[in-house]
Amino acid sequence: ATSKPYHGYINLNEINERFFETWNEGRVPDHITITPLIVGDKILGMLVGFADKSAYNKMSLSLAEKLSTEFVKGLQVA
């Protein structure tokens, strides 16, 4: 809803538990970073990264945001 990244722990609820049951072999990671892939005013998708708790830092978030930006630039060139 905010078009902003999420960088933190996973709140276990029915939707998230179902997601991880069918994806990532049922394992719930300690940490997740989700950055939107935005072109213009449309969200085309998301870049999702899983990690352990040590990834909860500004450097990891900055890297994910940079990767998303570079990915979108590549889409626009193609």
Side-chain angles (χ1 to χ4, degrees):
T2 67
S3 299
K4 301 287 184 196
Y6 177 78
H7 184 68
Y9 68 94
I10 297 166
N11 183 19
L12 287 180
N13 58 38
E14 184 179 341
I15 293 170
N16 289 342
E17 288 176 16
R18 266 192 283 147
F19 174 79
F20 285 107
E21 283 174 9
T22 60
W23 206 65
N24 199 34
E25 299 176 343
R27 293 182 305 229
V28 178
D30 293 329
H31 182 273
I32 192 166
T33 301
I34 303 171
T35 54
L37 302 173
I38 302 172
V39 175
D41 61 349
K42 294 190 178 200
I43 297 177
L44 301 179
M46 298 175 290
L47 177 68
V48 179
F50 300 150
D52 60 30
K53 293 176 186 176
S54 67
Y56 187 66
N57 59 63
K58 180 72 173 166
M59 190 168 67
S60 294
L61 176 58
S62 295
L63 176 60
E65 290 174 318
K66 180 181 177 188
L67 291 171
S68 292
T69 299
E70 293 300 317
F71 186 84
V72 168
K73 284 180 187 176
L75 286 177
Q76 292 172 327
V77 170

